Amino acid sequence: MEIESGSYQNIAKKESWRTVLTLAYQSLGVVYGDLSISPLYVYKSTFAEDIHHSESNEEIFGVLSFIFWTITLVPLLKYVFIVLRADDNGEGGTFALYSLLCRHARVNSLPSCQLADEQLIEYKTDSIGSSSSMPQSGFAASLKSTLEKHGVLQKILLVLALIGTCMVIGDGVLTPAISVFSAVSGVELSMSKEHHKYIELPAACIILIGLFALQHYGTHRVGFLFAPVILLWLMCISAIGVYNIFHWNPHVYQALSPYYMYKFLKKTQSKGWMSLGGILLCITGSEAMFADLGHFSQLSIKIAFTSLVYPSLILAYMGQAAYLSQHHVIESEYNIGFYVSVPEKLRWPVLVIAILAAVVGSQAIITGTFSIIKQCSALGCFPKVKIVHTSSKIHGQIYIPEINWILMILCLAVTIGFRDTKRLGNASGLAVITVMLVTTCLMSLVIVLCWHKSVLLAIAFVVFFGTIEALYFSASLIKFLEGAWVPIALAFCFLLAMCTWHYGTLKRYEYDVQNKVSVNWLLSLSQTLGIARVRGLGLIHTELVSGVPAIFSHFVTNLPAFHQVLVFLCVKSVPVPHVRPEERFLVGRIGPKEFRIYRCIVRFGYRDVHKDDFEFEGDLVCSIAEFIRTEAATATAAETNGEDDDRMSVVGTCSTYMQGIEDHYESDLDDPNKPGTSEIRSPKPKKKSKSKIKKRVRFVVPETPKIEKETRQELMELTEAREGGVAYIMGNAYMKAKQGSGLVKRLAINIGYEFLRRNTRGPRNMLTSPNASTLEVGMIYHV
């Protein structure tokens, strides 16, 4: 599946309000599932230990005031009105902010970057129209220069982005646990404590196992149910909230005044500050509004939140506070929870809806975890993993088996280990607020470097929102021994793996650069070693964008033969979400024409979908054929004895220049005795056939005398090589630290990186190359 730039976010800008409202409705199930189910556990976590409900109602009204202003300032003001505008060509999330900074300040962590990458359309501009090449002055220019000069600052920026990413992964473990466990806890009011504890935990575990076990089917099969479930849940909690307000305390709206926050802190003092860790859970899932931006439009997400999600949550929390303000006798530790405020006759229906909503909210964070790991892997910051696209129509629906089972095991471990909402809430709260702090820090840089706004505005943003989030962060961190250590431990493990992999990847690339052989050596092989050229098309996979990799010299000196057409293939990621099909390939020639050696650089964005092997081979051959045809047509080709990377041309996928894809050759080409039967003809634009029958690709050469003979011969050889078979030659490098290396380097390379390399996917899996056509060449890298 080819992902083009015109995805949901761009479609919504051009289509009607009906489309925008449809997207807003669909966003309920994908974006707001986690945020919508927070009323299940906020009050219960807040009043778990630090503070107690009293006759004066100062505690409950103070908590309500904190909840109201926290939801208003963080999700509404920060995310809806500010952060959503910092999208990376329609994509959101921590790595989208980092990608913006990479382009505007040139702090890219990818080693194989080229100047040609900066000519990509999505590289040069973002959604608000600011260009990465716009002139900067004053503080912004000096800040950009400082970041570009000091590698330490670039590493700190990368680590900051990775910390946010690791906490999102930790949230993917903790959110399903606390959501499902809190939803199932509704059975506590229907049976005795001695009995419900034997049902609550097993039921939560069964639901969690089922949730993760069904991930490989994808959400597109049942995704149409997600939005109705969350819509029904929001209508349910808002209706119950309105009932409780008018039935128990119509004056509860007065507690929305900030004065009640002051009274709350004055009375509870340090205990009240510690209880903020529970209040923090009311904004769990706010980051999803930004992270899932790529599936919807800014306007649709804003409409859904401001018109439905925000008022429903406020009414739900006000209704719970109104009920509790008239019920001060706590018969058990469970009666401060959500279900106690639900009318008794509605508890079982609400319990069912709550469990469904918890599953939907958990599904959203799990899918988001898969998505952000894919982004990290594309940018070289996470080991290669198998990525399964569960839908051919819906962009972003992916499944990563290894990560799915790791998340399931960890989720069951924390659920069984903690067995209560209090410690699960402490753990989840720290993960949520850490991601928000990272977003605030990165946003301040985006305001200056990408939006070209005043540094005072960036400082004001950091001070205002940073102060609020730092207050909640400190309250969560103080609960380190009561559950908050879990996200820190998870983040540390994932961060260690990410940094080790990134360090090993950079060292491997440096070794390739330092040990690459010259093109002249390659061109002289036929004279010195008697190299034989065999029929077929050889694809030499390399990370290098120039030169000949050492892995190929190792191969050819031990097996002195290679294919009649040789392509040095580099598949790399660039720091943009999508690369347009017409800009996908960079194609160049190595040596004289008669050598038939090419270099092809295939560029993907960090959200792009890689094609299967057959389709990829077709596009690759098409791009080389178009390069040959264009080179001849423009008469710019010249015989050279060396490689000139400056002569590489941007060539799109075959859809941009194929004349047609037909089931059979035309009748005039079927006659083998007719002149020009085997010639390759030049294309005119034509739409692709929708038939699922296997197709054949034809290339066309203009009937020009100047290129009639030489170019036709080259194109015919390319076609014959493709028909003779495509062989993938890949390097399988074993890395070892050099003798005399430090202890840290030896641990990182010999143990850490090699462990990750052996237990994750190799380049063959990433290219989806067929097993029968793949040749792996082993080589030891001493770095």
Side-chain angles (χ1 to χ4, degrees):
M1 169 182 166
E2 184 73 52
I3 300 301
E4 300 185 6
S5 57
S7 56
Y8 289 117
Q9 67 273 10
N10 295 323
I11 294 174
K13 295 177 182 177
K14 300 177 182 179
E15 296 191 0
S16 63
W17 276 100
R18 181 179 179 180
T19 303
V20 176
L21 293 177
T22 301
L23 289 175
Y25 168 73
Q26 293 174 348
S27 70
L28 293 176
V30 177
V31 178
Y32 296 111
D34 190 11
L35 183 62
S36 299
I37 58 177
S38 58
L40 284 172
Y41 44 78
V42 170
Y43 281 113
K44 190 172 182 179
S45 299
T46 304
F47 287 92
E49 184 180 40
D50 300 311
I51 57 176
H52 301 283
H53 187 31
S54 65
E55 295 283 347
S56 65
N57 287 327
E58 289 184 355
E59 294 85 0
I60 193 67
F61 288 159
V63 169
L64 174 61
S65 184
F66 265 105
I67 290 174
F68 171 77
W69 287 106
T70 301
I71 296 177
T72 301
L73 294 178
V74 178
L76 184 62
L77 180 59
K78 177 187 173 182
Y79 281 94
V80 171
F81 291 107
I82 301 177
V83 176
L84 282 182
R85 297 181 65 247
D87 64 301
D88 183 14
N89 292 289
E91 299 293 338
T94 303
F95 257 82
L97 295 178
Y98 179 71
S99 176
L100 281 176
L101 295 173
C102 284
R103 301 205 302 273
H104 286 78
R106 294 187 179 179
V107 294
N108 190 4
S109 62
L110 294 172
S112 58
C113 55
Q114 296 172 282
L115 290 176
D117 298 338
E118 299 182 11
Q119 301 304 314
L120 295 171
I121 294 176
E122 294 199 6
Y123 197 106
K124 294 187 287 188
T125 59
D126 54 39
S127 62
I128 62 173
S130 63
S131 172
S132 58
S133 59
M134 286 181 61
Q136 295 176 326
S137 59
F139 181 82
S142 61
L143 178 60
K144 177 181 177 181
S145 176
T146 302
L147 284 174
E148 292 175 352
K149 289 180 180 178
H150 296 84
V152 175
L153 295 179
Q154 297 178 18
K155 292 177 182 178
I156 292 175
L157 189 63
L158 175 62
V159 170
L160 184 65
L162 291 180
I163 289 174
T165 300
C166 293
M167 285 297 181
V168 171
I169 299 174
D171 198 20
V173 173
L174 297 167
T175 294
I178 189 173
S179 300
V180 173
F181 192 85
S182 299
V184 173
S185 66
V187 301
E188 66 196 12
L189 298 179
S190 303
M191 57 185 66
S192 63
K193 181 178 179 181
E194 291 75 16
H195 291 90
H196 86 77
K197 67 180 181 180
Y198 296 109
I199 296 178
E200 191 175 47
L201 184 61
C205 292
I206 291 172
I207 293 173
L208 289 172
I209 292 173
L211 174 65
F212 284 100
L214 295 175
Q215 288 298 312
H216 70 281
Y217 290 108
T219 59
H220 66 285
R221 302 181 190 275
V222 293
F224 66 95
L225 295 175
F226 286 0
V229 167
I230 297 300
L231 178 61
L232 180 61
W233 168 251
L234 290 173
M235 294 175 64
C236 178
I237 61 174
S238 57
I240 293 174
V242 171
Y243 168 80
N244 285 330
I245 291 171
F246 285 99
H247 187 266
W248 297 111
N249 191 349
H251 302 289
V252 72
Y253 68 89
Q254 297 176 357
L256 302 182
S257 170
Y259 175 68
Y260 283 86
M261 291 192 290
Y262 166 75
K263 292 179 64 178
F264 170 77
L265 292 176
K266 182 179 179 181
K267 179 178 180 179
T268 58
Q269 298 181 358
S270 62
K271 292 291 186 180
W273 165 66
M274 294 174 65
S275 69
L276 294 180
I279 298 174
L280 163 65
L281 297 176
C282 70
I283 53 176
T284 300
S286 299
E287 188 74 20
M289 284 191 290
F290 185 45
D292 290 323
L293 183 59
H295 299 147
F296 305 96
S297 64
Q298 292 185 23
L299 184 58
S300 64
I301 291 179
K302 290 179 180 179
I303 290 175
F305 184 78
T306 55
S307 63
L308 183 60
V309 179
Y310 178 75
S312 297
L313 290 176
I314 298 302
L315 288 174
Y317 286 116
M318 289 177 65
Q320 289 186 63
Y323 177 88
L324 293 173
S325 66
Q326 301 299 319
H327 296 80
H328 304 95
V329 179
I330 307 300
E331 299 176 358
S332 69
E333 60 178 307
Y334 303 100
N335 282 7
I336 202 71
F338 167 77
Y339 291 101
V340 71
S341 64
V342 178
E344 188 172 354
K345 294 181 179 180
L346 298 177
R347 283 176 183 169
W348 280 106
V350 171
L351 174 64
V352 174
I353 298 174
I355 293 175
L356 293 176
V359 170
V360 172
S362 302
Q363 174 63 55
I365 191 65
I366 293 170
T367 303
T369 304
F370 292 158
S371 178
I372 200 167
I373 287 177
K374 178 181 180 293
Q375 296 177 28
C376 292
S377 181
L379 295 178
C381 297
F382 198 89
K384 303 299 182 182
V385 290
K386 180 181 181 181
I387 297 175
V388 179
H389 297 275
T390 58
S391 174
S392 60
K393 297 180 180 179
I394 304 176
H395 167 228
Q397 296 294 331
I398 63 174
Y399 166 68
I400 304 177
E402 298 95 328
I403 301 301
N404 181 68
W405 302 124
I406 291 174
L407 290 180
M408 187 190 76
I409 293 172
L410 293 175
C411 187
L412 291 174
V414 297
T415 303
I416 297 173
F418 286 155
R419 303 187 185 187
D420 65 70
T421 307
K422 171 191 167 186
R423 288 181 289 179
L424 285 172
N426 293 337
S428 180
L430 184 61
V432 168
I433 199 62
T434 304
V435 177
M436 292 183 177
L437 276 172
V438 170
T439 299
T440 299
C441 295
L442 295 179
M443 267 300 302
S444 63
L445 295 177
V446 169
I447 291 172
V448 176
L449 297 176
C450 305
W451 292 357
H452 312 292
K453 302 296 182 181
S454 170
V455 64
L456 296 179
L457 183 62
I459 293 175
F461 179 86
V462 171
V463 170
F464 182 74
F465 292 107
T467 301
I468 297 173
E469 291 161 359
L471 179 65
Y472 282 115
F473 180 79
S474 62
S476 297
L477 195 60
I478 203 69
K479 302 291 184 66
F480 180 83
L481 297 178
E482 300 174 26
W485 61 270
V486 172
I488 295 177
L490 291 175
F492 177 78
C493 294
F494 280 104
L495 183 63
L496 185 63
M498 288 181 177
C499 291
T500 300
W501 182 262
H502 184 65
Y503 175 74
T505 302
L506 291 179
K507 288 300 179 182
R508 176 175 175 172
Y509 186 82
E510 289 175 4
Y511 182 92
D512 281 333
V513 172
Q514 295 168 2
N515 293 274
K516 67 181 179 181
V517 297
S518 66
V519 175
N520 291 331
W521 174 86
L522 176 64
L523 301 181
S524 63
L525 283 179
S526 58
Q527 289 81 18
T528 59
L529 293 177
I531 297 296
R533 302 294 290 269
V534 297
R535 189 169 183 263
L537 175 63
L539 302 181
I540 313 298
H541 182 263
T542 175
E543 302 292 334
L544 297 176
V545 295
S546 64
V548 178
I551 203 79
F552 179 70
S553 65
H554 179 68
F555 165 74
V556 81
T557 51
N558 288 276
L559 182 63
F562 54 83
H563 298 80
Q564 67 182 99
V565 176
L566 197 64
V567 180
F568 287 93
L569 176 65
C570 175
V571 180
K572 70 172 189 175
S573 297
V574 291
V576 295
H578 305 291
V579 176
R580 301 189 178 192
E582 61 270 21
E583 299 177 312
R584 176 81 66 209
F585 292 88
L586 271 175
V587 183
R589 189 187 299 279
I590 298 179
K593 282 187 175 182
E594 59 268 19
F595 279 77
R596 305 294 189 251
I597 303 177
Y598 309 93
R599 180 181 304 283
C600 185
I601 300 173
V602 189
R603 301 177 292 186
F604 287 94
Y606 57 79
R607 293 295 298 270
D608 275 335
V609 177
H610 291 224
K611 296 184 174 183
D612 58 39
D613 58 311
F614 184 81
E615 194 175 1
F616 177 78
E617 287 177 11
D619 279 349
L620 179 63
V621 175
C622 282
S623 66
I624 297 174
E626 176 66 8
F627 167 76
I628 296 170
R629 188 185 67 82
T630 305
E631 185 184 51
T634 56
T636 58
E639 297 281 344
T640 59
N641 292 322
E643 182 182 15
D644 186 0
D645 279 336
D646 294 335
R647 300 289 291 276
M648 297 192 74
S649 303
V650 177
V651 181
T653 56
C654 59
S655 61
T656 62
Y657 52 82
M658 284 175 58
Q659 177 184 8
I661 302 177
E662 300 184 296
D663 295 331
H664 303 285
Y665 287 107
E666 294 179 358
S667 58
D668 62 333
L669 294 178
D670 288 336
D671 184 4
N673 298 319
K674 187 172 182 178
T677 295
S678 60
E679 68 185 27
I680 307 173
R681 305 199 169 211
S682 145
K684 295 179 182 178
K686 185 177 179 181
K687 294 182 180 179
K688 291 183 178 181
S689 171
K690 295 183 180 180
S691 175
K692 296 183 179 180
I693 302 174
K694 200 170 184 179
K695 308 298 183 180
R696 300 181 69 179
V697 179
R698 295 190 295 116
F699 310 104
V700 180
V701 178
E703 299 292 339
T704 305
K706 293 181 180 179
I707 62 172
E708 178 79 23
K709 182 178 179 181
E710 187 178 2
T711 305
R712 179 174 287 108
Q713 180 65 31
E714 188 173 3
L715 287 171
M716 289 176 63
E717 289 187 19
L718 176 63
T719 306
E720 291 172 0
R722 169 74 188 277
E723 292 174 352
V726 179
Y728 291 82
I729 302 175
M730 310 214 176
N732 193 354
Y734 298 85
M735 292 182 55
K736 290 185 178 181
K738 293 179 180 178
Q739 291 185 352
S741 300
L743 177 62
V744 175
K745 183 177 181 179
R746 282 187 280 124
L747 289 175
I749 298 297
N750 296 347
I751 299 178
Y753 181 82
E754 277 300 298
F755 173 81
L756 294 173
R757 186 192 63 81
R758 288 193 301 268
N759 292 279
T760 53
R761 307 281 169 165
R764 181 177 64 80
N765 302 91
M766 303 313 297
L767 278 179
T768 63
S769 59
N771 294 331
S773 304
T774 302
L775 175 64
E776 291 191 358
V777 181
M779 188 173 177
I780 298 177
Y781 284 20
H782 293 280
V783 297

